[in-house]
Amino acid sequence: MLGVNSAEINGIEIQQINQIIISVDESGVILFNEEKTELSSLEKQISERIDFFVEKGFDKPTITIRIFEDTSKEILENIKAEVRKTSIEFLDVQQTKKVEKKVEEVDSLDIQKYKKIISAWKQQSETDRTFNKADVEFVRNVYKRMNFNQMMRAGKLPSFVPKVEDLDTIN
């Protein structure tokens, strides 16, 4: 069951699921609503937030604890002990697995070529549009490697670009 609460603030109906979030980062630092804190301060901080939410009409404040799979059980149990000292009724513990992903940067020459190929395709009429397998492989590969800012500058991969596997079936 989700801890969904509703309240009206300034005439607007608000729903909130996780009103208080305590996180433990990769280095074991405790964060209260994304601000660094100490274990000894949690009870007071939680109680202050509970009071704030009760004043705003939320009758059952909730809390989420976010940890990594290798976070020590001692830290988690200590945080839970601090939460139990408060009137929190709903506690959600979310565990995240660290994933290391090596990102290969896309250089400006690849982005220029990507934009040139996409632009050429867009200029062709839909019925006369032709695809070269090497170009399709190139734009798909570059698109996968681009970061968000590069995608914003270069543009999304158009939905009309076929999958490389599909090119073998196109005459």
Side-chain angles (χ1 to χ4, degrees), residues 15-137:
Q15 284 192 343
Q16 188 154 347
I17 296 173
N18 301 315
Q19 299 163 339
I20 302 169
I21 299 174
I22 299 172
S23 306
V24 179
D25 72 10
E26 294 171 327
S27 61
V29 173
I30 300 171
L31 305 169
F32 181 84
N33 288 343
E34 299 185 26
E35 300 284 328
K36 185 178 176 180
T37 191
E38 298 297 324
L39 184 64
S40 59
S41 302
L42 282 179
E43 179 186 3
K44 182 178 185 233
Q45 290 173 304
I46 294 167
S47 295
E48 288 172 355
R49 293 303 289 172
I50 289 171
D51 293 344
F52 170 79
F53 284 115
V54 168
E55 287 173 16
K56 298 298 181 191
F58 292 93
D59 57 345
K60 293 187 180 186
T62 63
I63 194 163
T64 296
I65 301 174
R66 293 184 181 152
I67 60 171
F68 286 96
E69 67 180 353
D70 61 351
T71 301
S72 81
K73 291 184 188 231
E74 181 181 0
I75 290 176
L76 178 58
E77 290 307 316
N78 287 340
I79 292 171
K80 286 180 178 180
E82 293 301 309
V83 172
R84 284 187 207 104
K85 294 177 184 177
T86 70
S87 63
I88 291 290
E89 294 178 24
F90 181 79
L91 173 66
D92 177 32
V93 178
Q94 299 175 354
Q95 188 176 55
T96 303
K97 182 176 184 174
K98 290 183 197 177
V99 177
E100 291 185 30
K101 182 179 176 185
K102 183 179 178 186
V103 178
E104 183 182 331
E105 285 291 315
V106 178
D107 65 33
S108 60
L109 293 176
D110 282 347
I111 291 178
Q112 286 176 342
K113 184 176 176 182
Y114 170 92
K115 288 168 70 173
K116 183 178 177 182
I117 293 169
I118 298 293
S119 177
W121 286 336
K122 286 181 177 179
Q123 290 175 7
Q124 296 172 356
S125 72
E126 194 173 322
T127 56
D128 295 330
R129 196 173 287 144
T130 57
F131 298 97
N132 171 311
K133 188 172 184 175
D135 288 346
V136 171
E137 286 176 336

Side-chain angles (χ1 to χ4, degrees), residues 4-16:
V4 178
N5 296 298
S6 296
E8 187 170 308
I9 300 175
N10 297 330
I12 300 172
E13 181 74 19
I14 304 283
Q15 284 192 343
Q16 188 154 347

